[in-house]
Amino acid sequence: MEFFDYLYQLLIADKQYMTILKGLGNTLLIAAVAAVIGITLGMLVAMIKYFCKGRKAIRPLEWLCNIYITAIRGTPVMVQLFIWSLVILASWKNALPIACIGFGFNSGAYVAEIIRAGIAAVDSGQEEASRSLGLSKAATMRYIIMPQAIKNILPALGNEFIVLLKETSVAGYIAVNDLTRAGAIIKSVTFDPNIYFVIALIYLVMVLGLTKLLRLLERRLAKSDKG
């Protein structure tokens, strides 16, 4: 009973749970929007790199994609957020969309490599066979390569979303009231650092839930392959 009384005083009595719920909502929003941006941008970059092969006229596009991937993967996400917040989008007053864009561009570089690896995993002989049958490179990608690549990369994309969800914990450094910052706010009011155990538990529940959904998806894909 003492433990529940303690939780009541920590979270319920002064309505601190409302701070947590608001932070949780912002965290989920950032992760969801950033995932959409990341998948869209990653797909675009992967397609550019694929269609640039053997075409010198558009080779500079591939160079730009490689620079983007190298720069994003080679620098900390927190530094990238500072650049977005203090330099590129310094005139924006609301930090929430800045966080969505920053994490989205960060995720896009990793998604691009995941998709590239998925495409590379498809037997090159299938592309050669489809081209010999008269299919264009775009049609080959759409109907032959991409459907197989998607099945290969879905687990990796799921893991990327889990990583993205946890990375949003640094959004508070650009004044976003995310879940982690909610814990800091409550701690500054209650002077009780144990609130971070509650925050950690919430993250753990979300990650375990996503992991469970990912495993169910993998099983369904495995069954569809057998069928």
Side-chain angles (χ1 to χ4, degrees):
M1 290 298 294
E2 291 183 0
F3 175 72
F4 290 106
D5 289 339
Y6 171 74
L7 286 180
Y8 178 84
Q9 293 298 325
L10 181 62
L11 300 174
I12 309 298
D14 294 325
K15 296 184 178 181
Q16 301 294 356
Y17 70 92
M18 294 298 295
T19 303
I20 290 180
L21 289 177
K22 182 178 180 181
L24 175 61
N26 287 338
T27 289
L28 293 175
L29 178 62
I30 293 171
V33 174
V36 172
I37 294 174
I39 292 173
T40 302
L41 188 57
M43 179 68 74
L44 177 62
V45 170
M47 290 299 100
I48 290 174
K49 288 172 67 67
Y50 173 79
F51 286 103
C52 280
K53 290 182 179 179
R55 299 183 179 182
K56 293 183 179 180
I58 57 175
R59 186 62 61 82
L61 290 177
E62 183 180 11
W63 296 340
L64 288 175
C65 291
N66 290 335
I67 292 172
Y68 160 69
I69 292 174
T70 302
I72 293 296
R73 288 164 61 93
T75 56
V77 65
M78 189 183 302
V79 175
Q80 295 169 28
L81 287 178
F82 285 143
I83 292 174
W84 281 105
S85 177
L86 302 176
V87 182
I88 301 175
L89 301 176
S91 62
W92 290 23
K93 302 301 181 182
N94 189 349
L96 187 60
I98 296 176
C100 292
I101 293 172
F103 284 111
F105 269 75
N106 178 268
S107 180
Y110 293 91
V111 171
E113 286 298 282
I114 291 173
I115 295 175
R116 182 200 60 77
I119 293 173
V122 178
D123 186 5
S124 59
Q126 297 189 39
E127 180 179 3
E128 296 173 1
S130 64
R131 296 301 299 277
S132 66
L133 292 174
L135 289 177
S136 65
K137 194 167 186 176
T140 299
M141 170 58 67
R142 180 179 178 182
Y143 297 110
I144 305 298
I145 298 177
M146 189 52 67
Q148 299 179 68
I150 287 176
K151 288 186 178 181
N152 295 332
I153 66 178
L154 276 178
L157 285 178
N159 289 330
E160 167 60 22
F161 184 70
I162 290 174
V163 171
L164 176 62
L165 177 64
K166 292 188 291 185
E167 283 185 339
T168 60
S169 62
V170 302
Y173 284 97
I174 60 170
V176 175
N177 288 327
D178 69 315
L179 183 58
T180 302
R181 186 175 175 86
I185 293 173
I186 295 174
K187 193 263 181 183
S188 67
V189 173
T190 63
F191 301 101
D192 191 340
N194 289 322
I195 186 62
Y196 287 111
F197 283 105
V198 177
I199 302 300
L201 180 61
I202 295 174
Y203 274 111
L204 179 61
V205 170
M206 290 192 294
V207 169
L208 291 177
L210 288 173
T211 303
K212 181 66 175 179
L213 290 175
L214 183 59
R215 288 177 179 173
L216 290 174
L217 180 60
E218 290 177 358
R219 290 175 185 173
R220 288 193 175 184
L221 289 176
K223 288 182 180 179
S224 64
D225 289 340
K226 291 180 181 179

